[in-house]
Amino acid sequence: MLELKNLTRTYKPKKGVPVQALKNVSLSFEDKGMVFVLGKSGSGKSTLLNLIGGLDFADSGEIIIDGKSSKDFKEKDYDSYRNTYIGFVFQEYNILNEFTVGENITLALELQSQKGDTGRLEEILKEVDLEGYGDRKPNELSGGQKQRVAIARAIIKNPKIVMADEPTGALDSEIGKAIFDTLKRLSQDRLVIVVSHDREFAEEYGDRIIELADGEVISDETKVKAQGERDAETNNLESVAGDTAPSSGLKKSRLPYKRALAMGAKTLSRKRLRLAVTIILCFFSFLSFGLVVTAMDFSKVDTEANVLKNMRQDGLVVRSALTYNEIYKGSLFGASYNDLQKLREQTGIDFQGVAKEFNRRANYSYYNRSALGDGEYYSSDITGSLPAEQDLFDSQCYTLYGRLPENENEFVISKYIYEKMALAGLIIDAVDTGEDTIIRPEEIADIQSFLDKQLYLSSPLTGEPSLVVGVVDTKFNSDGRFDVFKEPYQEAEYDRKGYNLKREFYDAVAEGYHTIAFVYPQAYQKWEDSAKVQLELDNVTESSGRFYINKNDFTEFSGVANDEVIRNIDKILWIDGNGERRELANNEIILGADIAIQALYPSNKASYKVYIKNFKTYFNGMVSLAPDTSEYDLRNGGAGEAALLEEAESISLQELEKYKDYCREINYVFDYMLYFRRNDQDFYRDLDINTMQEKHWRWSYACYLGRRENNYFKERVGGYYNNVTGRQSGEYIINILGNRWYLDYKLSKAPGTAQRMDAADYDISYSDAYYRYLPIVEFVDAPVIVGVYFSEDDFPSNLVINNKMYEESECLEKSIYNYFISPKINDKSKLIKLAQLNFDTQHLRGFEIQNYGVDAAFEWDFAFNNVLKPIFGGVAGVLGVLSILLMGGYITSSINAQKRQIGMLRALGATKSDVFAIFANESAIIAGITLVLSVIGTWITSIVFNAVISNARLITLNILNFGILQVVLLSVVCIGVAVLASAIPLYKLSKKKPVDSIQDR
């Protein structure tokens, strides 16, 4: 069965001389019997045993097992050989202290993929005199009992060869004799090879004695026994294998996963302190990584949608916005009908446009404004209007006191606005009489008293006095959190919570349902339809902006129009004098008259110091174009002054004499003229005193004409609603003169020529959006002003550009709403669509959500990407490497502490993969414990973090969203760390021969 041919084995230490342990040893063995190998220390007997058992490999020669040569063996064949043919009994027992006797013994069966049969186990235990010891732990056994366990483990798999290396070396003679009795019984049906130094036992028990010296066989003696010799001691004992013949054929080893896992788990208890430190440090590493992957999964869109879903406000508020260089957005001070349609289509949310508050002065003021206190609680008035609909009130759980409007001359106000009126009282301007109506606070102390008064206040939709028929409670400040603003409020330094409360308050009173008036739905629809028609036909966008002169003086314009609006306007003053022009080049601009006057008119006396020449032609041209019946003058109101000035220029000096006494009353004009002359101003220096006197009389006479005209001119001749009595300030007269001179000068220094104002002298910016400087129209070249136009339509404040330029500017749309509003919804999918629009910077014109708290998504997106992620990532990376080193160190320590046991497992036939599985499971258990702790830790940290941030921001803010994805990523990282941590020590282990592990080398 077993034959050795020319086995040679030489050990080559790193230092020192090589040692030849075996020298061309050739032996053959019978299938059964007890063979002793004797020799002094260093004779080679243990080497011979290791080579036969497949624990070490010869340098040359071969082992032939059942006709198969070891030269054809691969490492896995040696594993199968040990698993199938060999049963080892070690001097040091090499049993697993963490497992019971039964578990130690059945391990050999499990390596052969057999179940640990209880009956068979009891049979083996009985055979080795350990009956009933199956559930005991090794630390409860004596040395002899432990060796019996080792023998039972060796023979339970029924091997062909049992190899014992000094099996009684650590036992007393009596116990040693019992061990040899057991081995002798085993030799009846299999080969038992015993390496020993005890010749006495060899002589007594051995069937054959082989003696080695210096790696060579020096004697090989086979004993011939007398009939019945020693048989009397054993003939009444059954063999361990019973009637079962020893196994044949190589069986591949495979350690069951449960046993590998159990063995890995058992070994963890050996170094508990080091294990605890490793787990704690790995936990902090994985916790950091968990926070990193949670932060990396931060979605500003999802965060913003959650804010909108959980916010305390009861309405979604959106403004139209412009994008600047695809970086940020700025809200427009108005929104178009096209915007509303787009917002509804892209979100599926039924937004409504809040109609702009009518721009005429309200017909009421507050009787006792001081009663409102010094705080900002009542800082807001009506900001716009919506249709009054019971469905809206019901959906918002609002309470309506009074009734809904029944015609366009009725409307409903919010309780917030009513409380302001009730606290301060009202002064309502007279409609038909000359006396104002005073409503004292005590007269409207409750809502019913207020409604009983039948008050006609200016409608925010039409501007006309309309009856207030209801008050709707929009639940403003229902929890009292804004009460602090009833008195002057200043948050403490670094008081983020106070700052956020103030932000929330301002957003609540500036936009939302609390400051909206609810009007007759048909009236609202009529207004909206009218606005839509204007949008389609007027070709004007109300995107306001600023027109700067010399970067200092400026005027604001309310809209940008294309040159379609001037096709049918006759009153256009062209700088080049071409009155037939009705088209503009790509960089040409004409201004509405009011823009031109305001922009080109100086804002202080110092600006009068300009060279004014040849103004007469342009001045007369402008005066002749001004409509006599217009409500406004060219600067501040009352355009009738233009006609009066024209008349004053045409009257003769003789006629002026009739009014010289009246003119003397207005001595400021002449004084100003003298002042400028004394200071050598260029224009006035050229005028003699008589000419100045004439000018003085003519403009004074214009004031007289204003005095004698109807009430309109009487009240507005100065343009300041000052109800003049005839005497006007000289400064106003200079304004009337100066603005025309200055306009003429700035438009063209040489009238009648094509010379234009230098584009470097002025600039155009737009004030709708963020920081009030977002560009709207991109001119091909620097824009130049080529004229001024007049319109019968109240002198619209428009800046007119070329039609092609207008069409290419997608953001130019007429504003008819203040903002858009919708009741709060819980549909996350729609809120996500809304949030996506909020973050869309790919389109020039878009939307910006105004609700308090949504800006947190921007803030945390920046914080995570630029601050937290790098910090977390760096920390996690450092700790990750540390975790690998710690876990690897722990596994290395565990391997070093279990070298003998590893060798024992290999001797039993366990493959490298089986051993790897044990320590991989050990790493996996550490990683699993750490994973569970880190998942729980990251989850709790995320909850706490979100709670702290939400408390600071006064909103429900889910910044860290820890979920399944994060658990999966953490699991992957934990597995990766466990693999990497095990890889190096297990790789080193794979290089070791089984004998090296057994001998702790």
Side-chain angles (χ1 to χ4, degrees):
M1 179 187 73
L2 176 65
E3 185 179 359
L4 313 180
K5 290 185 177 182
N6 302 319
L7 292 184
T8 298
R9 179 73 171 95
T10 301
Y11 295 107
K12 298 177 180 180
K14 293 181 179 179
K15 296 181 180 180
V17 179
V19 177
Q20 193 169 23
L22 289 179
K23 304 174 184 177
N24 296 316
V25 173
S26 297
L27 293 168
S28 62
F29 296 88
E30 300 293 334
D31 291 346
K32 58 184 177 179
M34 192 169 182
V35 179
F36 275 79
V37 179
L38 303 180
K40 295 180 181 179
S41 177
S43 63
K45 59 183 184 298
S46 293
T47 301
L48 179 64
L49 189 71
N50 292 333
L51 293 180
I52 294 173
L55 300 179
D56 197 3
F57 313 116
D59 297 326
S60 62
E62 62 180 324
I63 301 173
I64 299 175
I65 304 137
D66 283 343
K68 186 175 182 179
S69 174
S70 62
K71 288 184 178 180
D72 299 326
F73 276 21
K74 297 179 181 178
E75 187 174 4
K76 64 180 181 179
D77 295 317
Y78 274 109
D79 294 333
S80 299
Y81 165 64
R82 290 192 300 273
N83 186 41
T84 307
Y85 279 82
I86 307 298
F88 277 99
V89 179
F90 300 100
Q91 179 180 1
E92 299 296 333
Y93 323 132
N94 288 334
I95 58 178
L96 303 174
N97 292 322
E98 294 84 4
F99 294 92
T100 65
V101 169
E103 290 171 334
N104 270 277
I105 294 172
T106 56
L107 175 61
L109 288 179
E110 292 175 1
L111 286 170
Q112 290 187 340
S113 301
Q114 300 182 52
K115 293 184 178 180
D117 181 75
T118 303
R120 191 172 180 187
L121 173 63
E122 291 299 325
E123 182 183 344
I124 293 296
L125 290 173
K126 182 178 180 181
E127 181 68 24
V128 295
D129 296 327
L130 290 176
E131 187 174 5
Y133 280 72
D135 292 330
R136 293 196 183 186
K137 288 291 186 70
N139 59 5
E140 301 176 38
L141 305 178
S142 65
Q145 290 172 326
K146 290 180 181 179
Q147 192 63 287
R148 291 175 186 276
V149 171
I151 293 173
R153 182 181 59 194
I155 64 175
I156 194 171
K157 64 182 181 179
N158 201 19
K160 286 189 173 185
I161 303 172
V162 174
M163 309 191 74
D165 186 7
E166 300 284 0
T168 62
L171 304 175
D172 58 41
S173 59
E174 184 177 351
I175 297 175
K177 188 175 183 302
I179 295 299
F180 277 122
D181 285 341
T182 302
L183 292 174
K184 186 62 177 179
R185 289 196 301 270
L186 294 174
S187 68
Q188 292 179 9
D189 53 14
R190 73 198 70 223
L191 176 63
V192 176
I193 300 175
V194 180
V195 170
S196 177
H197 64 280
D198 195 325
R199 181 172 290 276
E200 183 179 348
F201 278 126
E203 293 290 349
E204 182 178 359
Y205 290 97
D207 298 320
R208 180 180 177 184
I209 300 173
I210 301 172
E211 188 171 359
L212 300 179
D214 297 326
E216 296 178 319
V217 177
I218 59 174
S219 70
D220 185 354
E221 177 184 354
T222 301
K223 295 171 59 178
V224 178
K225 294 184 179 181
Q227 181 68 33
E229 185 181 355
R230 298 288 302 167
D231 290 348
E233 301 176 6
T234 60
N235 59 5
N236 294 323
L237 298 175
E238 297 179 359
S239 70
V240 173
D243 296 330
T244 306
S247 59
S248 63
L250 298 181
K251 296 180 180 179
K252 185 178 180 181
S253 170
R254 187 178 68 83
L255 184 66
Y257 175 75
K258 288 184 178 180
R259 174 53 76 100
L261 179 62
M263 294 179 72
K266 294 286 187 180
T267 57
L268 289 174
S269 61
R270 294 183 176 181
K271 296 185 178 182
R272 296 180 180 178
L273 179 60
R274 185 166 186 170
L275 174 65
V277 172
T278 300
I279 289 176
I280 290 172
L281 291 177
C282 289
F283 161 71
F284 282 113
S285 173
F286 295 157
L287 174 64
S288 297
F289 180 80
L291 294 174
V292 169
V293 296
T294 304
M296 290 179 68
D297 193 44
F298 169 80
S299 167
K300 56 187 178 182
V301 170
D302 190 69
T303 298
E304 190 164 284
N306 283 329
V307 170
L308 295 173
K309 183 176 180 180
N310 299 315
M311 66 183 183
R312 289 185 290 198
Q313 292 167 279
D314 53 7
L316 301 172
V317 179
V318 176
R319 283 191 179 276
S320 295
L322 294 182
T323 299
Y324 179 67
N325 289 342
E326 296 186 355
I327 299 175
Y328 61 82
K329 286 184 177 180
S331 294
L332 295 168
F333 299 122
S336 72
Y337 183 74
N338 285 348
D339 290 335
L340 177 59
Q341 293 299 99
K342 185 194 305 183
L343 184 60
R344 287 173 173 172
E345 291 171 2
Q346 295 186 1
T347 65
I349 302 174
D350 189 21
F351 279 96
Q352 286 185 303
V354 177
K356 284 188 173 183
E357 184 181 6
F358 196 80
N359 58 11
R360 293 178 182 172
R361 186 170 64 91
N363 71 333
Y364 64 90
S365 58
Y366 293 99
Y367 171 71
N368 182 15
R369 184 171 284 275
S370 63
L372 301 176
D374 297 328
E376 300 179 61
Y377 187 85
Y378 293 109
S379 59
S380 186
D381 282 311
I382 297 174
T383 58
S385 55
L386 283 174
E389 297 171 335
Q390 189 63 48
D391 288 346
L392 171 63
F393 298 158
D394 292 342
S395 68
Q396 298 289 78
C397 297
Y398 292 165
T399 302
L400 174 64
Y401 301 91
R403 62 177 175 82
L404 296 172
E406 296 176 353
N407 57 65
E408 64 181 11
N409 294 320
E410 296 178 347
F411 69 104
V412 172
I413 64 173
S414 69
K415 187 179 178 183
Y416 169 81
I417 297 296
Y418 155 73
E419 288 176 348
K420 183 175 181 179
M421 294 177 174
L423 191 62
L426 294 170
I427 301 175
I428 303 175
D429 296 348
V431 179
D432 299 321
T433 67
E435 296 183 2
D436 295 337
T437 301
I438 296 177
I439 307 296
R440 292 179 171 80
E442 59 269 19
E443 298 179 57
I444 52 175
D446 59 79
I447 293 177
Q448 190 57 51
S449 299
F450 175 80
L451 296 176
D452 289 343
K453 282 290 183 182
Q454 296 285 293
L455 300 178
Y456 282 82
L457 305 178
S458 293
S459 166
L461 187 67
T462 66
E464 299 298 326
S466 301
L467 180 63
V468 180
V469 297
V471 174
V472 60
D473 184 2
T474 59
K475 298 182 180 179
F476 177 74
N477 193 34
S478 58
D479 57 2
R481 68 183 182 278
F482 295 145
D483 285 347
V484 293
F485 299 108
K486 291 181 179 179
E487 300 297 333
Y489 178 80
Q490 181 66 42
E491 70 271 10
E493 190 175 7
Y494 307 120
D495 181 7
R496 179 69 178 180
K497 196 169 184 178
Y499 169 79
N500 291 333
L501 181 65
K502 181 177 283 190
R503 281 280 312 279
E504 183 182 1
F505 168 75
Y506 285 150
D507 287 350
V509 297
E511 296 153 331
Y513 291 108
H514 311 302
T515 54
I516 289 177
F518 300 91
V519 301
Y520 187 52
Q522 286 84 338
Y524 177 91
Q525 189 63 53
K526 179 181 177 182
W527 166 84
E528 190 175 55
D529 290 342
S530 175
K532 285 187 288 186
V533 170
Q534 286 183 328
L535 177 65
E536 295 170 357
L537 300 182
D538 280 2
N539 303 303
V540 176
T541 174
E542 290 187 355
S543 296
S544 61
R546 290 184 175 184
F547 183 83
Y548 284 83
I549 300 298
N550 295 323
K551 309 299 185 290
N552 294 315
D553 300 313
F554 69 87
T555 183
E556 293 187 354
F557 55 87
S558 61
V560 177
N562 63 11
D563 51 16
E564 290 288 341
V565 304
I566 62 172
R567 300 290 165 83
N568 299 315
I569 295 178
D570 294 328
K571 300 177 180 179
I572 301 177
L573 180 63
W574 298 95
I575 291 178
D576 60 8
N578 183 2
E580 300 301 321
R581 287 188 60 187
R582 287 298 182 271
E583 292 183 355
L584 299 174
N586 282 344
N587 65 329
E588 291 182 334
I589 297 172
I590 65 171
L591 306 174
D594 56 341
I595 307 177
I597 293 296
Q598 291 183 60
L600 303 177
Y601 174 68
S603 60
N604 54 63
K605 293 184 178 67
S607 300
Y608 299 159
K609 302 174 182 179
V610 294
Y611 293 95
I612 306 295
K613 296 181 179 178
N614 301 318
F615 67 90
K616 183 70 174 178
T617 301
Y618 270 71
F619 173 73
N620 288 341
M622 290 188 65
V623 169
S624 65
L625 289 170
D628 295 355
T629 58
S630 174
E631 293 185 6
Y632 302 115
D633 97 338
L634 297 179
R635 185 174 189 278
N636 288 310
E641 283 85 336
L644 302 180
L645 292 172
E646 183 179 9
E647 183 177 347
E649 281 290 307
S650 64
I651 195 171
S652 67
L653 287 175
Q654 290 78 6
E655 286 294 316
L656 284 176
E657 283 286 343
K658 298 177 182 179
Y659 305 101
K660 63 181 180 181
D661 291 338
Y662 172 75
C663 293
R664 289 192 186 98
E665 297 178 18
I666 315 176
N667 53 18
Y668 298 103
V669 177
F670 190 62
D671 289 343
Y672 272 112
M673 290 182 174
L674 292 177
Y675 169 80
F676 283 117
R677 188 173 188 277
R678 287 194 300 270
N679 287 275
D680 295 326
Q681 298 306 307
D682 294 276
F683 174 72
Y684 293 109
R685 186 181 57 191
D686 293 339
L687 298 177
D688 58 29
I689 296 299
N690 292 332
T691 304
M692 291 176 64
Q693 181 71 54
E694 178 183 339
K695 292 289 184 183
H696 161 63
W697 281 9
R698 292 191 184 281
W699 298 111
S700 298
Y701 178 64
C703 291
Y704 170 77
L705 295 177
R707 178 185 181 188
R708 74 177 188 184
E709 293 294 334
N710 58 37
N711 287 336
Y712 173 80
F713 291 120
K714 180 178 180 181
E715 294 176 3
R716 293 171 174 78
V717 68
Y720 296 101
Y721 301 100
N722 55 5
N723 204 10
V724 298
T725 58
R727 181 180 178 86
Q728 298 298 309
S729 71
E731 184 174 1
Y732 171 70
I733 300 300
I734 289 180
N735 288 349
I736 295 295
L737 284 170
N739 61 33
R740 285 150 182 80
W741 293 342
Y742 200 68
L743 175 64
D744 168 67
Y745 171 76
K746 296 301 287 185
L747 283 177
S748 175
K749 297 179 182 179
T753 71
Q755 183 177 355
R756 302 171 181 176
M757 176 180 174
D758 187 353
D761 287 345
Y762 62 87
D763 189 17
I764 300 171
S765 64
Y766 302 87
S767 56
D768 297 280
Y770 193 51
Y771 288 145
R772 305 173 70 88
Y773 292 104
L774 295 181
I776 294 181
V777 180
E778 294 289 344
F779 291 97
V780 176
D781 298 309
V784 293
I785 302 170
V786 296
V788 176
Y789 80 95
F790 300 84
S791 171
E792 301 290 343
D793 185 20
D794 297 341
F795 294 118
S797 301
N798 292 327
L799 182 147
V800 183
I801 63 175
N802 169 269
N803 189 48
K804 181 175 182 294
M805 298 286 292
Y806 184 92
E807 290 178 352
E808 291 177 353
S809 302
E810 60 178 282
C811 58
L812 297 179
E813 294 182 2
K814 186 175 179 64
S815 300
I816 62 176
Y817 306 109
N818 269 342
Y819 52 89
F820 306 118
I821 192 168
S822 162
K824 190 176 80 169
I825 63 173
N826 293 317
D827 189 331
K828 184 73 174 292
S829 62
K830 291 182 178 180
L831 293 175
I832 287 177
K833 290 179 181 179
L834 178 59
Q836 288 171 339
L837 287 182
N838 191 47
F839 289 105
D840 177 18
T841 56
Q842 299 303 308
H843 299 91
L844 183 58
R845 190 177 181 103
F847 302 96
E848 188 173 48
I849 300 172
Q850 299 298 299
N851 292 93
Y852 166 72
V854 295
D855 55 345
F858 286 98
E859 296 172 5
W860 285 106
D861 185 53
F862 175 84
F864 279 136
N865 288 319
N866 297 279
V867 181
L868 296 182
K869 285 182 184 178
I871 293 175
F872 283 161
V875 172
V878 172
L879 291 178
V881 173
L882 181 60
S883 295
I884 294 174
L885 295 176
L886 284 169
M887 199 177 295
Y890 184 88
I891 298 301
T892 300
S893 173
S894 181
I895 289 174
N896 290 334
Q898 299 179 75
K899 284 182 180 179
R900 288 186 179 276
Q901 292 189 7
I902 293 170
M904 178 272 295
L905 290 171
R906 297 298 307 280
L908 291 178
T911 63
K912 289 180 180 178
S913 299
D914 294 331
V915 177
F916 289 174
I918 294 171
F919 292 101
N921 276 301
E922 190 173 344
S923 295
I925 292 170
I926 297 175
I929 294 172
T930 308
L931 173 63
V932 172
L933 294 176
S934 60
V935 166
I936 295 173
T938 307
W939 175 61
I940 293 175
T941 302
S942 299
I943 292 175
V944 172
F945 180 87
N946 290 335
V948 171
I949 297 301
S950 297
N951 183 62
R953 293 300 301 265
L954 300 178
I955 53 175
T956 301
L957 197 58
N958 295 324
I959 300 298
L960 296 179
N961 295 292
F962 186 75
I964 298 298
L965 176 62
Q966 286 68 41
V967 174
V968 171
L969 290 175
L970 271 174
S971 301
V972 171
V973 171
C974 287
I975 293 172
V977 169
V979 170
L980 291 175
S982 305
I984 295 176
L986 291 178
Y987 175 77
K988 291 181 178 179
L989 178 63
S990 69
K991 297 297 183 181
K992 289 182 177 294
K993 299 175 183 178
V995 67
D996 293 333
S997 297
I998 291 174
Q999 296 177 358
D1000 197 13
R1001 291 203 296 261

